Amino acid sequence: MPTKSSCLAILGGPKAVTADPDDTFTWPIITQEDEDACLGVLRAGKMSDIEVTQEFEKEFAAWHGVEYALAHSSGTGALEAAMWACGVGAGDEIIGPSLTYWASVLPAFCLGATIDFAEVEAHTLCIDPNDIERRINERTKAIVVVHYCGYPCDMDPIMQIAEKHRVKVIEDVSHAHGGRYKGRLVGTIGHIGAMSVMSGKALPVGEGGFLITHDRFLYEKAVAWGHYERTGTELHDPSLAPFAGLPWGAHKYRMHQLSSAVGRVQLRRYQARMDEILKSMNYWWDLLEGVPGIIAHRPPKDSGSHNGGWYAPHGLYDKDALGGLSVHRFAEAVNAEGGICHPGANMLLHLHPLLNDADIYGHGKPTRIANTDRDLRQGPGSLPVTESMPERCYGIPWFKHYRPEIIEQYALAYRKVAENADRLR
Ligand SMILES: *Cc1c(COP(=O)(O)O)cnc(C)c1O
């Protein structure tokens, strides 16, 4: 159905979005329950203890159906601990995507390791399973996969490659809490799931992170790395137990108990809130089905896979279907309609000077190549699909409530601009 008011707002026409969104986008949702939980911790003076955190861990592990969940002070800390637990150390390499938040891969540097960036798939924005195997060598210890903007990575081929080469898989679940791959919860498929639960994420706890695993040894290593207060009671492996009392990583990564207290409340409410987000985001993409140039970033409906809480949801863009209109100009026009559209996504890590030129630890050469004898720096042109993505995707509204009239107006902003793209060129 063609849009009625075709005069674009950016050219002086009426706006597509006229409704007040009210709290449609408000996140996190904080209620009296969260406040009471905080006050309980404060009044007991238990901010630095771990009992509330341990309750939270039990609930978090039960939700995922895993044996072990270890709360951290940040997702960054959990990812670093995950890498070290997987054996990443001096001279080693990890493989990961360049299109992600830096903490997915950058902790490799402080372990004396380095990073080989693999391509992403243009339709999922997740690591391309077909670009992993050729990068594996005897130094490769881990593959970090990121369920990008909620989209679950294609875990079956990734796990096959990892098992064949005896390399560990770390799932960065920071964008995809509660997401599913072929029916299975993301974070439980690889050797370790590590994630942020900072308050902007879909599961908003406060500053915090989680490491989950089925593997006792990997769990104990993560305890040894950054949780000295537990080393006396939780380390049983003979390679770790003799060193109890001090943290191997020289880090103190325990979660603040105010975060744990809020987290327990948020987790109890998460399934219902996530289901409403899923319903809302799916409605949004259903409305935009068939609109030229606009492509949904979600797995096929009958696949058993979904984007969970849809953190930082994105859409895909085909400018050829819109006569070459740039995603920047497209976004400008959508925003003029009162809509929400942010061109691009995370900055590309493989092109950042910190990855290629910075000598962080005084090796006398860039840290990227300081601990290895091969030059794996990746300049412009090295990852063509990844490098095309800033022009081929955009951030979309993240609906927290199923309010059809509001979602329809925001979708109309996109439809209107796409159907009148010829007036913008
Ligand atoms: C937010 C985020 C992290 C880092 O988590 P913090 O809790 O902010 O340290 C790691 N990976 C991804 C993909 C993220 O989005």
Side-chain angles (χ1 to χ4, degrees):
M1 157 189 82
T3 43
K4 265 184 280 160
S5 53
S6 58
C7 187
L8 294 173
I10 201 169
L11 302 175
K15 289 185 175 199
V17 180
T18 52
D20 172 8
D22 193 28
D23 63 350
T24 298
F25 302 114
T26 304
W27 204 254
I29 295 171
I30 297 296
T31 69
Q32 181 84 41
E33 272 187 299
D34 302 272
E35 294 172 11
D36 291 346
C38 275
L39 284 174
V41 171
L42 286 173
R43 289 180 176 147
K46 297 277 189 186
M47 291 82 80
S48 287
D49 289 333
I50 62 170
E51 316 96 55
V52 182
T53 301
Q54 284 175 317
E55 290 306 308
F56 188 23
E57 287 170 345
K58 275 185 221 151
E59 292 155 0
F60 204 86
W63 173 38
H64 283 93
V66 296
E67 204 84 13
Y68 307 105
L70 187 59
H72 282 73
S73 51
S74 70
T76 304
L79 281 153
E80 186 203 89
M83 288 178 202
W84 184 74
C86 287
V88 177
D92 293 332
E93 296 180 8
I94 65 165
I95 295 169
S98 165
L99 181 67
T100 182
Y101 182 73
W102 53 264
S104 305
V105 291
L106 209 51
F109 276 11
C110 58
L111 299 172
T114 191
I115 307 153
D116 192 355
F117 290 107
E119 276 285 26
V120 292
E121 298 173 303
H123 65 295
T124 66
L125 305 177
C126 294
I127 195 166
D128 183 347
N130 295 314
D131 193 42
I132 293 175
E133 195 162 17
R134 70 186 180 96
R135 298 179 186 278
I136 295 178
N137 60 52
E138 68 285 352
R139 298 190 190 90
T140 311
K141 292 285 160 53
I143 303 163
V144 180
V145 306
V146 183
H147 305 293
Y148 197 71
C149 302
Y151 202 113
C153 295
D154 194 1
M155 293 306 293
D156 284 342
I158 293 169
M159 294 311 295
Q160 261 171 29
I161 294 162
E163 270 147 36
K164 178 172 160 198
H165 296 277
R166 295 163 190 266
V167 171
K168 295 280 195 279
V169 173
I170 298 167
E171 292 177 72
D172 182 344
V173 190
S174 305
H175 292 185
H177 310 89
R180 288 189 186 260
Y181 173 73
K182 299 184 182 174
R184 302 164 71 188
L185 270 176
V186 295
T188 66
I189 303 165
H191 299 87
I192 294 184
M195 71 203 81
S196 173
V197 288
M198 54 79 78
S199 41
K201 299 283 155 76
L203 180 59
V205 163
E207 293 297 346
F210 259 102
L211 181 153
I212 59 176
T213 183
H214 304 284
D215 186 319
R216 175 80 205 177
F217 182 60
L218 297 180
Y219 168 76
E220 286 196 16
K221 281 194 83 177
V223 168
W225 186 248
H227 301 263
Y228 79 98
E229 70 281 357
R230 303 175 185 219
T231 53
T233 50
E234 299 203 32
L235 300 187
H236 303 303
D237 191 89
S239 68
L240 300 169
F243 304 97
L246 296 177
W248 290 59
H251 295 301
K252 202 182 98 176
Y253 278 160
R254 70 171 171 249
M255 185 178 276
H256 195 297
Q257 290 223 118
L258 287 178
S259 289
S260 310
V262 172
R264 294 185 69 197
V265 175
Q266 291 289 324
L267 181 58
R268 266 201 303 281
R269 301 290 167 220
Y270 187 61
Q271 190 65 49
R273 288 175 183 165
M274 187 190 93
D275 287 345
E276 192 167 358
I277 291 174
L278 269 172
K279 186 174 175 188
S280 310
M281 297 308 301
N282 278 322
Y283 183 56
W284 154 273
W285 280 125
D286 291 346
L287 289 169
L288 291 171
E289 196 126 310
V291 174
I294 301 303
I295 304 154
H297 181 240
R298 61 174 171 180
K301 267 183 190 154
D302 50 4
S303 59
S305 302
H306 66 65
N307 292 27
W310 286 81
Y311 174 73
H314 274 64
L316 305 171
Y317 188 69
D318 175 9
K319 76 171 171 189
D320 296 336
L322 297 178
L325 182 72
S326 80
V327 72
H328 288 85
R329 185 74 177 138
F330 178 84
E332 227 168 45
V334 169
N335 292 327
E337 296 293 339
I340 296 174
C341 186
H342 309 289
N346 281 98
M347 73 160 114
L348 304 182
L349 297 171
H350 76 286
L351 300 179
H352 192 281
L354 189 83
L355 270 298
N356 292 311
D357 308 325
D359 176 5
I360 302 168
Y361 299 106
H363 284 98
K365 50 182 162 175
T367 302
R368 183 87 179 276
I369 54 168
N371 298 305
T372 177
D373 51 17
R374 82 185 182 103
D375 189 349
L376 39 52
R377 286 176 291 183
Q378 290 158 290
S382 59
L383 296 173
V385 179
T386 300
E387 288 166 39
S388 74
M389 293 327 299
E391 304 296 326
R392 290 166 70 181
C393 66
Y394 46 84
I396 59 173
W398 184 13
F399 300 102
K400 313 304 192 310
H401 299 282
Y402 182 65
R403 292 178 181 145
E405 340 66 63
I406 294 203
I407 300 171
E408 283 157 19
Q409 290 198 356
Y410 282 85
L412 177 64
Y414 275 67
R415 175 185 285 273
K416 214 178 137 187
V417 174
E419 289 179 351
N420 296 285
D422 54 338
R423 293 167 203 232
L424 290 172
R425 290 193 310 270

